[in-house]
Amino acid sequence: MKKELLFMGPPASGKGTQTHRLSKETGYPHVDTGSLLRSAIKKGTETGLVAKSFIDKGQLVPIDIVAKIIKERLMEQDCQNGFILDGFPRSLEQALALDEIKKEIDAGKEVDFKVINFEIPEDALLERIVNRVSCPVCGEIYNKKFTPPKKDGICDKCASVLTQRKDDTEEVAKSRFATYHKETEPLINFYSTRGQLINLDAQGTSEEIYKRIKELI
Ligand code: AMP
């Protein structure tokens, strides 16, 4: 059966960290719109240029851009048996777009589709964001305060120099939270009404949260 997991939750709720690990363990690719967009920016494509202006303000990138990127990614060979979606959909409009994409990519397949909603109080998240650094090579995520690398600024896993995201500042983060409440939070009701939503207590150590996820999926 094709496995489709959709991870949703406020910025810095731990989706990326958990998806990264789950993807490595299960083999299902981690499909993350934020990373796909940042990669387009790095490559200097026209899509990247447009996306950058929205990302820098903590706003949602227009749907035609993200839906195209996601559709192309989900049609790739490695996603045929399943995938873990992180950061898409982020609005009702995008959820409806995903329904359309799923009609194409799921045709003739039996699918197990689950939405995991990361529940966590918001006051803890801002501090996570401003202290977050990650490895641009292997994707490992650290927190300078809570889960620092062994050697300052260097990835434990692959020894690359860690970087901080440009939008991980207090000012942009506040705007990302506002966008989350206005655009993304209504999806909780949307997927809950359909019986597809599973709430996850996203507080605790990374290990504890991972164990809970494994039980839920
Ligand atoms: P993230 O890495 O998931 O925190 O996303 C970083 C930024 O990329 C967001 O603040 C948005 O500007 C943009 N972005 C990521 N995913 C989406 C999406 N599904 N729709 C629109 N914009 C997105």
Side-chain angles (χ1 to χ4, degrees):
M1 179 164 340
K2 186 175 180 186
K3 188 102 173 162
E4 296 181 350
L5 296 171
L6 199 160
F7 282 16
M8 60 175 284
S13 53
K15 303 183 300 291
T17 305
Q18 298 296 337
T19 320
H20 186 64
R21 180 168 172 191
L22 191 65
S23 169
K24 265 199 207 158
E25 194 186 304
T26 59
Y28 295 122
H30 175 189
V31 179
D32 158 18
T33 28
S35 297
L36 291 170
L37 292 167
R38 282 188 289 279
S39 148
I41 293 174
K42 231 178 170 176
K43 285 187 197 139
T45 64
E46 203 178 311
T47 300
L49 203 71
V50 178
K52 185 175 184 315
S53 61
F54 290 89
I55 292 177
D56 285 351
K57 287 185 275 195
Q59 295 170 355
L60 292 188
V61 173
I63 185 160
D64 47 332
I65 292 183
V66 275
K68 183 167 179 284
I69 283 189
I70 280 291
K71 186 173 177 187
E72 284 171 3
R73 181 67 190 91
L74 296 183
M75 286 180 102
E76 282 177 34
Q77 197 49 42
D78 64 335
C79 291
Q80 297 316 304
N81 291 327
F83 49 80
I84 312 169
L85 253 186
D86 163 17
F88 183 90
R90 259 172 149 111
S91 65
L92 279 174
E93 193 186 25
Q94 291 185 9
L96 297 174
L98 179 63
D99 283 348
E100 291 306 308
I101 294 171
K102 273 170 60 53
K103 277 184 200 159
E104 277 188 55
I105 62 171
D106 294 347
K109 292 183 177 165
E110 240 191 292
V111 177
D112 175 22
F113 176 82
K114 289 192 178 87
V115 181
I116 309 291
N117 178 41
F118 282 52
E119 290 189 306
I120 186 157
E122 196 166 307
D123 46 10
L125 300 180
L126 194 60
E127 203 173 12
R128 276 197 193 179
I129 288 185
V130 294
N131 286 299
R132 178 162 66 180
V133 284
S134 63
C135 177
V137 178
C138 75
E140 198 66 20
I141 301 168
Y142 301 87
N143 183 289
K144 287 189 275 185
K145 211 163 164 185
F146 308 117
T147 51
K150 291 192 186 89
K151 198 170 159 206
D152 193 27
I154 302 293
C155 180
D156 292 348
K157 299 268 156 75
C158 72
S160 303
V161 175
L162 300 174
T163 54
Q164 180 159 36
R165 276 171 46 175
K166 252 193 92 191
D167 60 343
D168 273 351
T169 62
E170 189 167 338
E171 193 196 347
V172 181
K174 283 188 174 150
S175 165
R176 285 159 62 201
F177 283 121
T179 304
Y180 170 78
H181 289 306
K182 183 163 172 262
E183 306 279 356
T184 313
E185 225 165 31
L187 292 183
I188 295 176
N189 198 23
F190 177 84
Y191 285 117
S192 170
T193 308
R194 289 180 168 190
Q196 293 169 323
L197 190 94
I198 303 172
N199 283 314
L200 166 78
D201 173 6
Q203 291 187 86
T205 64
S206 183
E207 199 58 43
E208 287 165 350
I209 300 163
Y210 190 69
K211 241 175 111 185
R212 280 177 215 144
I213 292 175
K214 292 291 294 285
E215 279 160 17
L216 295 176
I217 61 169

